[in-house]
Amino acid sequence: MILSRNEDPTTRPLLVETHDFHEITEVVSEVAERKPAPTWLLLFMFCGSLLLLLTGMLGYLFWRGVGVWGENIPVGWGWDIINFVWWVGIAHAGTLISAILYLCRQRWRTAIARLAEATTVFGLLCAGLYPACHIGRVWMVYYLFPLPNQMALWPNMRSPLLWDVFAVTTYLTLSSLFWYMGMIPDLGTLRDRATGKIRPIVLGILSLGWRGSARHWLHYERAYLILSAIATSLVFAVSGIVSIDLAASKIPGWHTAIFPPYFVVGALYCGFAFVTAILIVTRQVFGFQHLIRTHHIENTTKFTLLLGNLIGYIYLMEICIAWYSGDVYERFAFWDRATGAYGWAYCIMISCNVIIPQLLWFKKIRQKLLVVFIICFLINIGMWFERFVIIISIHADFLPSSWHYYRPTYVDICTFIGTFGIFGSCFLLFLKFVPQIAIAEIKGIMPEASPHPAAHKAHPPHTAHAHGSAKAHALTDHKHAAS
Amino acid sequence: MPPLNPSSENPASKAPLPMKPLKQWKSLDELSGAPELKEFVNFEFPEGADVLGADVSRRRFLQVMGAGMAFAGLTGCKGIRRPEMHILPYNKMPESLVPGVAQFYATTLSLSGDAIGLLVEAHEGRPTKIEGNPSHPASLGSTSRQHQATILDLYNPERSQTPYYQSQPSTWDTYGKEVNLLFASMRQGGVNGGNGGEGLCFLSGYTASPSFRALRDYTAQVFPKAKWFVYEPINRDNALQGLYALTGQALEPLYHFDRAKRVLAIDCDFLDSEPFSVAYARAFAQSRNPDLGQAGMSRLYVVESHYSLTGGSSDHRLRVKPSAIPFLVASLAKELQAQGLNLSGVDVASLPSLSTSDTSTAWIKALATDLIQHRGQSIIAVGKYQPPAVHALAHALNMALGNVAANSVQATVELRPSVVHALNAADPKGAPENSVASLRALGQELDAGKVDALVILDANPAYSAPADLGFAAQIAKAKLSIHLGPELDDTGVLCTWHLPMSHYLETWGDAIAYDGTSSIAQPLISPLYSTVDATELLAALSGYPKTQSHAIVQDTWSKHLGKGQGEGQGAADALSFEKTWRRWLNDGIVSAGSASGTNAPGISLNASSLNALLKTFSATSTSSTGDIEIILREHPNLGDGRFANNAWMQEVPEPMTKLTWDNAALMSPKLAEKVGIRQDLLDSDNTGSPMAGYLHRPMVRLTVNGQSLDVVAWVMPGMAEDTVLLHLGFGRMHVGAVGEEAGVNAYTFMTAANPFAPGTASVGKLDRTYPVASTQDHWSMGKRPLVRDGKLDDYLDNPTDYASEEKWNEHPPEQSLWSDDSRGDYDFTKGMQWGMAIDLNSCTGCNACMIACQSENNIPSVGKEQVMLGRDMHWIRLDRYFAGDIDDPELEFQPMTCQQCENAPCEEVCPVGATVHSHEGLNDMVYNRCVGTRYCSNNCPYKVRRFNFFNYNNGLAETEKMRFNPDVTLRFRGVMEKCTYCVQRINRARIDSENQGHELIADGAITPACGQACPSQAIVFGNINDPESRVAKLKQHPRNYGVLRDLNTKPRTSYLARVRNPNPALAV
């Protein structure tokens, strides 16, 4: 993999605590090869039952109509869009961590990138579910796509909701590709180790004939670089477009120019917190302490802190602009958010998103993984409430005569819980069947990967040749493993 | 049209008849005649299967054809095909019927003796929509919400469809066997000589029908010993008795609000719930034109204890406790006399004085001055709930003020012979009777066991009688009781027989309206079930020679015509009657009452009886301060309870509280606090957003005269202090699925002595709460410039600034980034461009438009739970705001419907293009295209879009499907809908106009349902591109403004700012 030009792996704290290439291969592959542990099975059954719950709720929704949810006029969107935006946010950090850190040559990313990308893909699955099923006539959902038809009717290109459809589907396609492509060398490793009849065939197909040749690596890295670049721009575009759903409307509290950057920051913030929490759990459950180190967690928490403060700034700026606008509706909307019927939600939002994360300034706290986990968990709750506060602020818009309280029904709640079934099931399958940690990349950042460990300082820039030799090491390891 | 039964089609008939048989062959083998092939062919096509194929004679053809048809019929018997159905095409095409084109028939509706002329729209024989008859003085083309809702009763699947014997379904045959002989034996000179109706009692409500009265008189002849009682819960006894004391005649007042400059309404909701109120609302609106200056605009003073719609339209409103109102009128009389009004004959001195507050003293002083300054041009109107003495005194004041002038062309108050009295009193020339006394007398008969047969005609006294009479229990004491009514109601279940009653659209009838206009009621449809109307039942019981209502009504009117034309017999007369009759049916009126427009002759003030009546003032007394008084009033929607099973009436919000599906103990904010109800629980604070707890409100226990009711409390700003209002009409025990569990029965508190103000109440807060469904949870519009409202003087000083954005909007209007001509496809300056103007100065907030719209546009009712969730479906709603002091606020109404924005926010955000603009400026909804993202609704600043959260049209009875307007699509679940400006009416007018060769549709040819029903004609619709159209002129009016126009939505609906005309002497 790409090695940073000015770094010496030997002089930095070890990113990976392990002995040799083979051990990494063993540790990661073994998870995918051995029989599922009872805990895994138990967890999978639990997530499966959540999935069943979701299926039941969606079935009920499709049978009866959107009325089984709590929405009303004026609150036309409730938990469906809140959860959609929330899941989209969660889906963002994965790509960001993976792609942006990759582009920035942040090599510590390797240990966590795969997990983060998986979060993206599965998060997007959960998110994408909502716009599809929240519509009144769900059997007509294909109207949202520009399908040629004999009536020559096309979707309304002016509608932000349509941009949403494109943005989310593009992002889902791309992040899946990105995730899958990053996995190809590791799938090759698994294939080479595979025994039995079906397994080698399936893995053989999935690894697309990966042989680990230098030419393969060259193409692979170019493609990975390009996909990273596209994915990075998509991170900004998708959340921005999702925010435009609201920002392009007329509604006070929605009609705000700050929304695109606000939502991007919010998405990254909640995504980082989510990934951090997932990392902490995964490393505990699978015993990857030597691969996902406290150092990694600390890095993500620092990002989280930065984003949390950005969010706090945006909250402040929003209120300031509402006051400065002089618009009676705008002013009321923000006043109402903080002091009105949903003031409690606003309080949760501020405390979870702005106040509590301030604890992360302290190194001692950053290194206490349980505390970090709790903080990350609270941030995710806070970010959910941020979406709640924003979207539900429509309950009191222009004409007081139409103001109405909104509350979710049990179907709303169970559907949301059910989406964790999608996420959990997919994630567990991922953990079980594919390498959770990028084996090849990890090897690339091990001291052994450096072709000139001793002479490093004398030859700062790595050459393409040096690259090749790093890969050669990995390749060697492949052969070892296969034999 | 159901499809033709496919099995009845003979396939053989399609086979061509060969003119010249040709040898046909399928292959060369066949041609060669190979035997194997023949066998094969025979197997595939058995002999005879192609019997018509080759040589066929005409005779053979007919044989096969006949057999085929017979067999086709047999297949139907097997039950494997769809059941055979018969369609009957028009043998003779009915005159002027074009399928798909609605027809309108004039008819008449009377509710509680108050008649109104209607034009009813029918589609292929199904009445679908009620409209007012423009030539009927009680309607002038408008209707109230209740009138509109009667169409729903016709198709109500829970109507009685057969007779019921002791609440069990029975048949007319059984009924006939049981009852006919009995009545025949009671008739004078009937079987066995008859007993003359000894022990026979009739009970009816108010009728407006002269035919019914004629039959009643006939019945009295046939059963001379029978007794007839009239009980109408919401009656006009007080006015009749007051005026009888004053003048010695049975009179009722007819007010001419259009002529009045000053109006005082004493607990008189003449804009909404008094008889003739539809016409009153129009006349009053005419007197409120601020453009004519000070002289052109009347001033309305209202004295009342609760907030009525009339109070909402007032310039000055004085809220006083119910018991204080008579004293206030007495004080006014004294003040008027003190200011020099000649009240000769009225014993003013003996009238009690009211120890009133300074406010009301000043108020009365200013009012008296104003009235005296406008002698002959003022009206003092008294409401039906006020005691007779108040009526008497008020009309004595009217007389003294010269309002009851001899020259009726200028009179503002006409005292006319009462129609209700003439048609319902035992002695039409005698003194007015008392409804409650009548019922009590019947009860005494029943108690004494003297009643062999009791016939209750279209009344529900078991529910609506004062509770202390115990009438429901007394019914059982009759040996035989027969109840005629539209549904098996509280009275029906107690009677031996309940008979199903025809709807007024199913039967012939007639009516005399409040102003004396008489009209015929013709049916629009033959009875859906085996039902009779009251006249027919009476004819059957009394053995009247004619049994059909058509013949009975014709009888009445041919006699009437005969009287008018002198003696005359013979075929020529019959022909001329037929012609006249047809003209009456066509016009919808027989003769206009108010056209003759005279006071009853010889009205003079009868001082002695007046003063005797006024003595009752001192007999009553105001309650001591701190006592809580309770008043009972008919519900604005349900009336006395007759509309309790009408979903439209249950779901359209009560105009003031915006409550649906329930009644509540209405009380002022101060009283609520005193009772211990926390303000934030009763309503979200005045400017905030709705709170979580608003769906469940605290309950109180009301105790009046030892009777208790647990009812939800509702804070109603503007209620008099220490006063509780409970609406009647709810809580019926025996009502269909719609009215079940809706509200509490306020008749529990009604006493015979004082029906509508039964005394003082104790109010105790309960720990329970009750779920309420209110369509608007907000009192105030904050500082938003939604309803623009000001004083006449300000308007006259500077009309252009009166409603301007600059004056009302702090925030500068948003600017468009686009130039106006960038819309490409749309040129809003060409062709017909539809627009609407709503005059807030005329709108009374009565909700008639809501029901008219619901009826026209097939809008479903969704039920209480859905309303609680904020999913009511009305396309037009009445926004109600309170302004000013929350204890004594002013009221603002604003009809809110789709504004048909030129820059429609909904259109931009719809991802599938389901809501798009038309070239005529309509914001169209394409239901087929809509997938239901609800984005359009979110982005609508006016929140007028309605979403089908469920399939609200699911599971309708067959009859309910009949009421739908075929010109309007029924919406499925998951689809957004909203006001279309009644696009189906626009298109109908376009077709008509183009047929007549006009390029443009004439102004006034299109009236949306809301505008058509509006009693005060506040809604004007038309082509804004035509500078001569009414709407275009209104749009140029200085009072014209657009709601939220600063958002650059360019709404096509605009509002005319309201103008109040307060008395400068009362300026705060």
Side-chain angles (χ1 to χ4, degrees), chain A residues 235-246:
Chain A
V235 168
F236 293 97
V238 171
S239 245
I241 287 173
V242 167
S243 79
I244 287 173
D245 275 348
L246 307 177

Side-chain angles (χ1 to χ4, degrees), chain B residues 607-760:
Chain B
S608 61
S609 69
L610 170 67
N611 290 324
L613 181 63
L614 293 184
K615 290 262 182 323
T616 58
F617 268 127
S618 31
T620 59
S621 62
T622 48
S623 63
S624 50
T625 44
D627 277 359
I628 299 168
E629 293 180 33
I630 185 163
I631 46 174
L632 310 175
R633 292 288 186 263
E634 68 174 320
H635 190 266
N637 301 336
L638 303 194
D640 57 9
R642 70 182 67 212
F643 288 105
N645 203 32
N646 187 309
W648 290 354
M649 286 289 93
Q650 288 275 9
E651 195 157 300
V652 69
E654 197 273 331
M656 290 291 151
T657 57
K658 297 293 166 192
L659 267 181
T660 64
W661 294 97
D662 273 303
N663 56 353
L666 310 188
M667 53 183 78
S668 66
K670 281 206 177 110
L671 178 57
E673 268 182 39
K674 209 157 91 180
V675 171
I677 292 164
R678 266 175 40 229
Q679 194 67 38
D680 57 338
L681 267 179
L682 292 160
D683 195 295
S684 50
D685 67 274
N686 205 9
T687 46
S689 57
M691 307 298 272
Y694 79 101
L695 286 173
H696 289 79
R697 302 289 172 110
M699 292 184 79
V700 290
R701 174 164 293 165
L702 297 177
T703 310
V704 183
N705 301 326
Q707 300 283 335
S708 287
L709 272 181
D710 292 350
V711 59
V712 64
W714 187 270
V715 168
M716 178 65 202
M719 287 283 295
E721 297 308 341
D722 297 330
T723 304
V724 173
L725 168 68
L726 193 59
H727 279 126
L728 302 162
F730 283 94
R732 267 171 57 183
M733 292 297 287
H734 296 276
V735 64
V738 170
E740 240 165 11
E741 294 176 20
V744 298
N745 182 3
Y747 285 105
T748 315
F749 289 149
M750 197 185 245
T751 59
N754 214 341
F756 302 105
T760 57

